Amino acid sequence: MVRRIDVTGAGGARLAAWEFADPPKTKEVDGAPGVLLLHGLMGRASHWAGTARWLAERHRAVALDQRGHGQSEKPAEGPYTREAYVDDAEAALVQLGLAPAVLIGHSMGALTAWQLAARRPDLVRGLVICDMRASALGAASQREWADWFKAWPVPFATLADVRKWFGEDDPWVERPNPARGEFYAEVMTESEDGWRPVFDRDQMLTSRATWVYDAHWEELAQVQCPALVVRGLDGELGRAEAQEMVRVLPRGAYAEVPDAGHLVHYDQPEAWREAIEPFLDGVLIG
């Protein structure tokens, strides 16, 4: 079962939330421990499908298409600010009846999750931060992303071409990575002249610009709930910074996933589940 639930986000933005499996049958839906899954920049809720189905064996797990992504509204004028993304996640928790919930976020979604946890501790009982840095990335990083977007050979003739380019031919790929190709194939849609991303790349750069120039350590230190920092050994979050994030978090813990890049939960789904399961058991069941 895949079920869409409409959510009204900040400023009336129409957002799509998704359940990928039936909630636990041992409890009433409203009583089942809640989990909200937040994808990263350019991602979509369906990237969490495997995690959500696994979680749904014991918990109510919902994944959100964030504004500008997936099947949620992509307002031309935005806003695509940090405040808007956090407000949307807060609205989703309340309207879906998940709170107090565990937030599981990847990359940009992880930043949204810890900013919400810092602002509304009453809504968040636990936090999983997947491969997101707390340090400022700077102007050079933003320029690299703008150049990377320009390098995309859009439109792609077929989905096979999408998989090959992002999995093999993309200059950012150090070695063939089929999982990366599948990840990007999932965010393409067919148009008259070929396959194009479901998102607007300029909107993605706008969204990214709202966090790359600043560090986010202060908000991390304000997170009161238990928090797990997870990194792929080949991801973007280095071990030293991840361990410093754990130190800064008042109730932080650390896990790493071997043979995984930035797309930890997509690269190594079984190892990802093994990494977060003890933490989730302690927060949701213990």
Side-chain angles (χ1 to χ4, degrees):
M1 179 209 78
V2 178
R3 181 166 76 105
R4 173 176 173 158
I5 308 168
D6 291 328
V7 170
T8 302
R14 298 184 302 277
L15 308 176
W18 302 87
E19 287 182 306
F20 292 95
D22 293 322
K25 294 182 172 57
T26 55
K27 298 183 179 183
E28 293 297 325
V29 169
D30 290 340
V35 181
L36 182 66
L37 299 141
L38 299 172
H39 61 73
L41 189 73
M42 302 183 294
R44 66 186 307 169
S46 60
H47 285 142
W48 289 116
T51 298
R53 291 188 179 103
W54 169 67
L55 287 168
E57 295 173 7
R58 290 184 291 178
H59 316 296
R60 185 179 178 211
V62 183
L64 180 67
D65 273 336
Q66 295 172 76
R67 63 176 54 218
H69 296 76
Q71 293 191 27
S72 287
E73 188 176 2
K74 304 166 180 64
E77 303 303 320
Y80 294 100
T81 61
R82 283 286 82 222
E83 183 178 9
Y85 280 109
V86 175
D87 286 348
D88 287 348
E90 179 179 344
L93 282 182
V94 173
Q95 292 172 38
L96 294 167
L98 294 172
V102 168
L103 300 180
I104 300 179
H106 172 248
S107 196
M108 179 191 75
L111 176 59
T112 299
W114 88 60
Q115 289 178 326
L116 178 54
R119 187 173 82 182
R120 290 294 307 272
D122 56 310
L123 296 181
V124 185
R125 71 166 97 188
L127 175 65
V128 177
I129 297 168
C130 180
D131 217 65
M132 179 62 186
R133 300 182 62 182
S135 298
L137 302 180
S141 173
Q142 189 72 349
R143 288 194 298 270
E144 288 173 359
W145 271 69
D147 290 342
W148 178 56
F149 277 152
K150 291 176 184 176
W152 290 19
V154 174
F156 295 91
T158 67
L159 276 180
D161 291 328
V162 174
R163 295 185 182 98
K164 185 176 186 300
W165 196 83
F166 286 101
E168 300 178 25
D169 299 338
D170 183 349
W172 282 18
V173 175
E174 295 181 358
R175 58 181 182 271
N177 186 342
R180 189 175 187 270
E182 290 294 340
F183 183 94
Y184 282 97
E186 205 162 332
V187 294
M188 295 289 162
T189 186
E190 191 172 16
S191 58
E192 291 182 359
D193 59 353
W195 292 83
R196 297 177 176 272
V198 298
F199 49 79
D200 182 286
R201 285 172 286 176
D202 287 338
Q203 290 179 355
M204 298 299 99
L205 285 174
T206 298
S207 296
R208 194 172 186 273
T210 64
W211 86 73
V212 295
Y213 302 112
D214 302 308
H216 306 283
W217 295 97
E218 184 175 347
E219 291 155 304
L220 200 67
Q222 295 170 1
V223 174
Q224 299 175 21
C225 64
L228 178 68
V229 177
V230 184
R231 62 178 291 267
L233 290 190
D234 298 318
E236 296 178 9
L237 176 61
R239 179 180 282 114
E241 183 171 352
Q243 292 176 344
E244 180 63 12
M245 290 170 65
V246 172
R247 189 192 68 78
V248 167
L249 284 159
R251 302 171 67 185
Y254 175 74
E256 58 186 28
V257 180
D259 301 318
H262 178 58
L263 307 175
V264 182
H265 57 297
Y266 217 78
D267 280 349
Q268 300 292 340
E270 292 185 12
W272 154 254
R273 293 193 292 266
E274 290 174 1
I276 67 173
E277 186 171 24
F279 175 81
L280 294 177
D281 286 347
V283 173
L284 288 169
I285 300 174

